[in-house]
Amino acid sequence: MNEKLTDIFGIDVFNESVMKERLPKETFKALKKVMDKEQPLSLDVANVVANAMKDWAIEKGATHYTHWFQPLTGITAEKHDSFIEPASGGKILMEFSGKELIKGESDASSFPSGGLRATFEARGYTAWDPTSPAFLKEDAAGVTLCIPTAFCSYTGEALDKKTPLLRSMESISTQVVRILKLFGINDVSKVECSVGPEQEYFLVDHNKYMMRDDLIFAGRTLFGAPAPKGQELDDHYYGSLKERVASYMKDLNVELWRLGILAKTQHNEVAPSQHELAPIYATANISTDHNQLVMDTMKKVAKRHGLECLLHEKPYAGVNGSGKHDNWSLVTDKGKNLLDPGKTPNENIQFLLFLTAVIRAVDVHADLLRLSASNPGNDNRLGAGEAPPAVISVFLGDQLDDVVAQLVATGEAKTAKKSEKLDVGVKTLPRFSKDVTDRNRTSPFAFTGNKFEFRMVGSSMSIAEPNTYLNAIVAETLEEFADRLEAAEDFDTAVHELIKTELAAHERVIFNGNGYSQEWIEEAARRGLPNISCFIDAVEALITPKAIKLFEHQGIYSEAELRSRVEINYENYSKVIAIEAKTMIEMASRKYIPAVMKFVKNVADSVISVKNALSVADVSAQEEILSKASRLLSDAKKAMDNLSDGLARVSDISGAKETATYFRHEIVPMMDALRAPIDELETIVDSELWPVPTYAELMFEL
Ligand code: ADP
Ligand code: MG
């Protein structure tokens, strides 16, 4: 990078400063009002903005534009249109109208709609989200102007992840503003939820990746014996970067900075060849867009470096998988973080009220949060002693835990534990204050100073849903609190009373201990906390009466939208497992089994030739290997046939839920049964004959 970082930051974004520079004053003012959600967008304004956007994009080499959206597949979608319009004399003009900016029509019948839209009425609309800036994307197709949009059906149902998120942001803002008024704060008109997602990922050599059908088709290894070394020495975590990885990260950062993404920290993660990138937090919808771009860019830049980026939650068995920590807080339009406890949280009633609201919301709707962090990939990770358990609990840290205990006991918190000076015992090192909360890495939902960190989310998932649900559940509780407090005669007494009773009712969800331990799982059961073990068991959290009431009341999802998402979740699960199962059969029948047969024949030949050469020779070693390999080969063949038969029976099942359940309870165990003998064979078969790169080669040879 020769340019200065300050010069390249955001140069591919049609951001506020570009708008200010390129739009007539009046238009800019009008657009600002739209962005601040104070007034709707008029076509006149849209026309002027579209024209300025087009000129800017064309100057930067763009030929096409696209409405960029986030369908329910969880990744982003785009359909490119060029700016060209025919003009007289066989020439063309480059045009882009306000109408084209605001609304796109996509015959998007192949996007999942979960029955919301029959294919014969395939119309879907994309609508510009002016709160998220347009940007340029450059790839082999050239430069494209990308316009972030929401995606809905002809009848207005949301077919994407962004629309409900935007709705939830309005909902929580409204309720927080009401609460603040009760505290005499009248100058706040909007509250944003701020989100900072930490993104974990693995890198693998492209050529080795191309030799593994499982990585290509499933994004994770479906076979593989453990390498002699895993992560036990903890020498990769925060270790110095390998040249190739460092050069990848450098390139990645530049790409992200150009897109105006505040990529801030990067480091090696726990598992070999695992890394993390965290941006500085932003407003939830922008952060969601950015995280999608981060994931896209990670993959794109990897290819340039002869690498592949794996975003799957569990690429390799036996070492840690990848997650995405979703850091969340509430910040007013005056810049105040409402989750900041200040120095004396025990006296900060306003903070304690918001804290109580989050605790209550998480307790009441733990099942929804669990679902928002569930996908087929994360099933391989949650609760496996490397990621949070499947039980949702809230970590507060010593200081707040103590404040809560005092409040529950007496209705008052007289003291707050202070942070101490940390003395490391070396005179030349500075002494500094310890944080009042230590980190608890095992908690699914941890208070970390001035924000909550939701740690269950899977690395490949969109953060739209976790944040939509979080906003929704906290908004619901705040609405109830506001109703009660507005009706109270004496606000002061009422707010103290409310905090005390609500904390007492929901303190069961607070847990500060080791979330990975078996004792906690037992204790959680005693406390009556839900322990939902897998994705498909979590799906119906969306259509419980309490969930339907929650989302409908706040206008975030209609019941039809919720039901469609249930269908899509089940279908998605079945499709993913089917692909994995078919990939396993393909690899077993065409790679592993032929290789093992060759090996078995070699050993058999060796037994015969050694015996021929010397009739009294001891061939017991060869015979042992031969008999073990033959037995495992036969086990593998049987397991493979069994899996094939299992897949053939899928067509007999009707119903999305029934099919997903069959995949979970019948097919997954059959897959495990096929993996076991092959992984064992990997440890005895001649490495020269082994048909695919091993774990050691994938993780350590970068
Ligand atoms: P850690 O690894 O300790 O969890 P990181 O620095 O890797 O910490 O990531 C913390 C993330 O939290 C960053 O994305 C950061 O911008 C974000 N963050 C910090 N403060 C807030 C806040 N008030 N609201 C939301 N996110 C925040
Ligand atoms: Mg974190």
Side-chain angles (χ1 to χ4, degrees):
M1 187 179 65
N2 298 320
E3 305 103 317
K4 269 197 345 216
L5 170 53
T6 41
D7 293 340
I8 61 161
F9 188 80
I11 59 171
D12 290 337
V13 188
F14 194 74
N15 55 24
E16 242 185 84
S17 42
V18 181
M19 289 182 203
K20 203 164 182 180
E21 199 182 295
R22 294 189 167 243
L23 293 175
K25 246 198 185 122
E26 284 313 303
T27 315
F28 177 72
K29 257 203 212 147
L31 186 62
K32 259 306 263 172
K33 285 202 171 133
V34 175
M35 285 158 65
D36 293 338
K37 300 184 191 105
E38 284 166 23
Q39 73 182 35
L41 184 66
S42 73
L43 194 56
D44 288 346
V45 171
N47 276 328
V48 181
V49 177
N51 201 47
M53 240 185 216
K54 177 202 72 184
D55 289 345
W56 171 81
I58 289 175
E59 279 166 34
K60 290 178 166 285
T63 50
H64 288 68
Y65 71 90
T66 179
H67 276 198
W68 186 79
F69 59 104
Q70 300 171 25
L72 297 170
T73 50
I75 51 173
T76 51
E78 43 197 78
K79 178 185 139 219
H80 297 187
D81 283 296
S82 73
F83 290 116
I84 60 171
E85 289 290 335
S88 59
K91 302 210 166 199
I92 53 156
L93 286 174
M94 299 293 261
E95 292 288 5
F96 185 48
S97 69
K99 233 167 143 180
E100 288 167 312
L101 166 65
I102 317 181
K103 193 178 96 178
E105 197 184 320
S106 75
D107 169 23
S109 50
S110 4
F111 290 109
S113 75
L116 270 184
R117 187 191 44 181
T119 35
F120 59 85
E121 33 182 49
R123 241 185 251 267
Y125 291 108
T126 47
W128 182 33
D129 168 15
T131 60
S132 184
F135 57 91
L136 298 174
K137 206 160 138 177
E138 187 173 357
D139 53 26
V143 180
T144 304
L145 169 67
C146 298
I147 298 152
T149 56
F151 179 45
C152 61
S153 75
Y154 186 64
T155 43
E157 279 123 351
L159 293 174
D160 67 349
K161 298 191 179 235
K162 179 166 228 182
T163 309
L165 175 64
L166 293 171
R167 293 173 182 162
S168 77
M169 289 166 64
E170 285 187 19
S171 181
I172 194 159
S173 175
T174 308
Q175 300 309 329
V176 175
V177 168
R178 273 180 78 194
I179 296 278
L180 290 177
K181 287 216 162 76
L182 286 163
F183 283 96
I185 300 169
N186 294 307
D187 61 343
V188 168
S189 53
K190 204 172 73 176
V191 171
E192 301 275 26
C193 32
S194 296
V195 171
E198 302 162 54
Q199 177 72 48
E200 291 183 333
Y201 62 99
F202 280 83
L203 291 174
V204 61
D205 179 79
H206 170 77
N207 293 330
K208 296 197 180 85
Y209 168 95
M210 290 307 289
M211 292 167 74
R212 301 256 342 191
D213 288 349
D214 46 6
L215 289 180
I216 295 173
F217 297 122
R220 69 167 175 127
T221 55
L222 297 163
F223 298 97
K229 177 180 171 190
Q231 60 194 37
E232 54 280 81
L233 296 180
D234 289 326
D235 51 352
H236 190 258
Y237 192 46
Y238 280 42
S240 59
L241 302 174
K242 287 185 181 163
E243 278 286 304
R244 199 171 171 195
V245 174
S247 118
Y248 165 78
M249 286 182 174
K250 182 173 161 199
D251 212 6
L252 174 64
N253 281 334
V254 171
E255 292 272 321
L256 296 177
W257 290 330
R258 290 180 66 106
L259 288 167
I261 297 171
L262 293 153
K264 171 91 174 160
T265 57
Q266 61 196 29
H267 58 80
N268 282 355
E269 259 301 326
V270 173
S273 75
Q274 189 188 27
H275 311 280
E276 182 187 291
L277 180 141
I280 296 175
Y281 64 93
T283 304
N285 66 323
I286 292 183
S287 190
T288 303
D289 285 0
H290 281 179
N291 184 247
Q292 295 295 138
L293 285 174
V294 165
M295 293 194 285
D296 275 1
T297 312
M298 280 180 163
K299 294 194 157 206
K300 186 173 90 180
V301 174
K303 287 193 196 290
R304 251 188 246 156
H305 289 255
L307 297 165
E308 291 287 336
C309 170
L310 305 177
L311 293 171
H312 195 281
E313 284 74 18
K314 191 75 180 177
Y316 305 107
V319 297
N320 276 13
S322 299
K324 178 141 55 190
H325 290 177
D326 188 81
N327 295 274
W328 177 92
S329 70
L330 294 169
V331 181
T332 70
D333 55 7
K334 300 283 174 295
K336 184 170 164 42
N337 179 354
L338 299 171
L339 295 180
D340 189 346
K343 288 214 163 59
T344 48
N346 54 317
E347 290 164 0
N348 188 343
I349 289 296
Q350 185 190 304
F351 164 76
L352 288 173
L353 187 66
F354 285 116
L355 180 75
T356 306
V358 175
I359 291 170
R360 177 184 190 269
V362 172
D363 186 30
V364 173
H365 294 293
D367 56 342
L368 278 175
L369 288 180
R370 171 71 176 90
L371 173 63
S372 78
S374 299
N375 73 353
N378 228 5
D379 271 3
N380 299 301
R381 184 175 160 264
L382 292 180
E386 53 161 285
V391 180
I392 302 264
S393 63
V394 181
F395 169 84
L396 292 181
D398 284 348
Q399 189 189 43
L400 286 183
D401 200 42
D402 174 56
V403 169
V404 167
Q406 292 181 56
L407 284 168
V408 171
T410 65
E412 241 183 308
K414 293 215 163 69
T415 58
K417 290 186 178 173
K418 293 270 173 318
S419 71
E420 296 156 21
K421 286 276 183 217
L422 185 72
D423 186 356
V424 288
V426 179
K427 284 206 184 67
T428 49
L429 291 181
R431 294 178 71 200
F432 49 84
S433 299
K434 289 200 284 193
D435 289 318
V436 280
T437 57
D438 189 12
R439 291 156 183 271
N440 178 322
R441 295 283 179 192
T442 67
S443 175
F445 200 87
F447 184 75
T448 48
N450 60 1
K451 61 186 181 339
F452 280 96
E453 186 171 351
F454 184 30
R455 302 219 183 93
M456 271 180 141
V457 183
S459 50
S460 73
M461 300 178 75
S462 160
I463 55 166
E465 270 137 1
N467 290 299
T468 303
Y469 296 4
L470 208 46
N471 293 342
I473 64 176
V474 176
E476 178 191 55
T477 286
L478 289 176
E479 182 175 7
E480 276 189 49
F481 284 7
D483 287 348
R484 272 148 75 179
L485 294 173
E486 278 168 3
E489 271 171 25
D490 174 9
F491 172 72
D492 242 26
T493 322
V495 74
H496 278 87
E497 188 51 37
L498 183 144
I499 289 174
K500 178 179 188 266
T501 42
E502 291 296 337
L503 282 179
H506 299 287
E507 72 177 332
R508 66 173 190 162
V509 78
I510 300 170
F511 178 64
N512 285 311
N514 178 8
Y516 292 175
S517 70
Q518 185 53 34
E519 294 86 74
W520 164 236
I521 302 304
E522 288 157 20
E523 167 66 17
R526 279 193 292 278
R527 294 189 190 182
L529 301 177
N531 184 356
I532 302 171
S533 69
C534 63
F535 176 32
I536 61 162
D537 289 349
V539 170
E540 265 161 34
L542 272 181
I543 44 169
T544 59
K546 77 174 165 72
I548 295 173
K549 181 169 157 255
L550 162 78
F551 289 124
E552 282 208 325
H553 176 69
Q554 292 183 60
I556 294 173
Y557 293 105
S558 66
E559 184 171 345
E561 287 171 340
L562 289 170
R563 294 202 178 273
S564 76
R565 278 149 183 84
V566 167
E567 287 289 300
I568 290 169
N569 279 330
Y570 284 135
E571 280 169 13
N572 171 255
Y573 183 81
S574 300
K575 284 180 192 160
V576 169
I577 305 298
I579 291 169
E580 291 187 348
K582 286 185 206 158
T583 305
M584 288 185 87
I585 294 173
E586 165 80 15
M587 288 176 80
S589 65
R590 296 171 22 106
K591 292 239 162 86
Y592 294 122
I593 291 181
V596 177
M597 287 189 332
K598 230 181 261 168
F599 173 71
V600 166
K601 179 172 182 302
N602 288 355
V603 185
D605 287 351
S606 145
V607 173
I608 295 167
S609 46
V610 172
K611 273 197 170 158
N612 275 349
L614 178 68
S615 59
V616 293
D618 176 5
V619 288
S620 58
Q622 290 96 315
E623 281 175 348
E624 237 174 76
I625 294 170
L626 182 60
S627 107
K628 186 170 180 192
S630 303
R631 176 178 54 79
L632 289 168
L633 177 61
S634 149
D635 290 351
K637 174 73 170 61
K638 275 187 222 142
M640 181 180 80
D641 292 343
N642 194 33
L643 180 57
S644 269
D645 294 346
L647 281 180
R649 287 196 296 275
V650 171
S651 55
D652 301 340
I653 304 163
S654 57
K657 179 179 178 181
E658 291 72 12
T659 308
T661 308
Y662 176 77
F663 271 102
R664 166 78 183 143
H665 295 294
E666 303 293 328
I667 298 292
V668 168
M670 291 177 193
M671 288 163 58
D672 294 342
L674 173 55
R675 177 173 184 152
I678 293 198
D679 285 0
E680 200 174 342
L681 281 163
E682 189 182 327
T683 65
I684 55 174
V685 169
D686 181 352
S687 66
E688 300 276 317
L689 292 176
W690 201 247
V692 301
T694 61
Y695 269 22
E697 288 161 337
L698 293 170
M699 284 190 271
F700 289 92
E701 294 175 17
L702 259 191

